[in-house]
Amino acid sequence: MTTTPRNPAPRRTRRIAAVALTAALTVGLSIGGATAANANGWDHGGGGGRDASLTPRTQFTMAPDGSSGATEGGEGIPNVDSDKKTIATYYGDPGTGVANKVASPYISEMAGIVADAEAKLKPAYDSAIAAGQKPAIVFDADDTTLWTYDMEVGDMHFTFDPAEQDVWVQDQRFPATPSMVGFVSAAARMGFTVFGLTGRNDDQKAATVANLAKVGYTDFPADRFYTKWTGVGASQQPSYVTCAAVKCTTVEYKAQTRKHIEQDLGYDITLNVGDQWSDLQGGFADSTLKLPNPTYYLPSPDLPGVNEPNLTPRMHFTMAADGSSGATEGGEGIPNVDSVKKTIAAYYGDTGAGISNKTDSPYISEMHSIVAKKVPAIALGCVIAKALHRNPAVVLDADDTTLWTYDMEVGDMHFTFNPTEQNIWVQDERFPATPSMVSAATLLKRAGCTIVGLTGRNDDQKAATLGNLAKVGYTGFTAQNYYTKWTGVGASQQPSYITCAAAKCTTIEYKSQTRAHVESASGGKYTVIANFGDQFSDLIGGHSLVNVKLPNPTYYLP
């Protein structure tokens, strides 16, 4: 009997083809200018899931005025959600928006700062008396003597509301800033005259002084507590404050009030204490004490002809994506949330209305650059895989990968996600296309890749999402190749190809196992050439030859 030997050539040919395909993608992307995965928006992620480089940056350079949004790429801007988590860790907030009043990194840091400052009081006092001076200390109110975290975060969600702030002020709701009651009392006992100087207005003066007394301060009488004029009735700008414009800056108001205390009232301000740099700028104090506060930033320019480089915020930060660095970095080492928001606005060309520039911005330029460098090589991979009968596909996330959510996230929600409001935007199909991505998807489709959608939006939002994609120019998505997440209601149940460690699947479990399904026989037996997403959790877990990370500092989904 004659037997015909099995020909191993087809299997060997397939292996060679796979290696050739991966090599073509690697070379093509390298020619496109990629030199580092995270910095340049791509990473190899084979079926086994080589995810070591799919992690957010932890080192940032950020100018306090937001201007670095014009020069730093999206990955180089502190993510606002990570920043909020870092701030929460620092204040011992478990996620409720309420600070721990007993123990936290903030309380510990305040205790250390105050202990150091208190040790310097006696020598400063003795020196002033020896010089024939009347020593005084000036204290700001919010987050210097009174603690606003629960209002700023738990109530306002980092978006200041003056009407709501007035409710808190008039109700005298604020606790004392940690360690400060003891510090003020020690200074007064030593002989310092204590003054208050706040940006709160005259209509809030009585309630502020009462709040201070309520939480234990005994040395802030109304006649030594300065509040800002309203311009109504008797509350007018004092003669000792002269400003360059109709509206005084914080530095003008506070510096000239300190000048009045020294030159008109005859005191020597030995120490000026505040949580904002603008509380301290402008002189008329022998020394300053900056207290930490990353929850808001009140900028104010230096006085004309005055340069105080030592009274400026930090610009270099270490921040972990999960917020854990709030336990190790001091308050000045945490990116200030207002500066982060301004940096993000500059990046998106938002002039302050919460609306991104749809024509020209650093974000649009970066997106164009990423697509121009990466997509041609991926398209080559589609062509090669198609010729080799490998059934090529590319997987694209929705929000901020194909559809642009900035105006919703910022202009509507003010960086505080609201699922009900998000659903309105989804069902109304309000989202524009993410810059450059319609042309990218079109090119990849023409190159032979099937376009697969994979989003965290749910099944009830699938039809509207497909409608929105078509509305803004995408042509490759179909209901069969568009994956949305189950709701657990009716027919919308967890698919059999997804198994999760807990009752609620993580984004990585859902997305990586869906990509595995796409590569399986039951899912179409595709070869996923590239996986595009704006979150690292869109990309982790393998089942794609190439990952393309798109920039998005407006939220973080771990």
Side-chain angles (χ1 to χ4, degrees), residues 79 125 151 191 199 219 228 243 253 270 295 315 446 472 486 503:
N79 186 285
Y125 179 80
M151 177 193 75
D219 302 290
K228 201 169 184 182
C243 303
Y253 157 57
T270 304
T295 66
M315 293 183 61
R446 287 176 181 168
V472 298
W486 58 94

Side-chain angles (χ1 to χ4, degrees), residues 487-505:
T487 64
V489 177
S492 178
Q493 300 296 324
Q494 181 173 329
S496 59
Y497 55 80
I498 292 180
T499 304
C500 302
K504 185 176 181 180
C505 292

Side-chain angles (χ1 to χ4, degrees), residues 297-344:
Y297 176 58
L298 303 176
S300 188
D302 282 322
L303 296 177
V306 177
N307 182 29
E308 299 174 296
N310 59 316
L311 297 180
T312 55
R314 274 178 55 168
M315 293 183 61
H316 301 285
F317 303 91
T318 297
M319 185 183 76
D322 63 359
S324 58
S325 51
T328 55
E329 296 289 323
E332 294 301 315
I334 297 172
N336 187 286
V337 70
D338 279 353
S339 294
V340 169
K341 288 196 258 187
K342 286 181 181 178
T343 305
I344 291 170

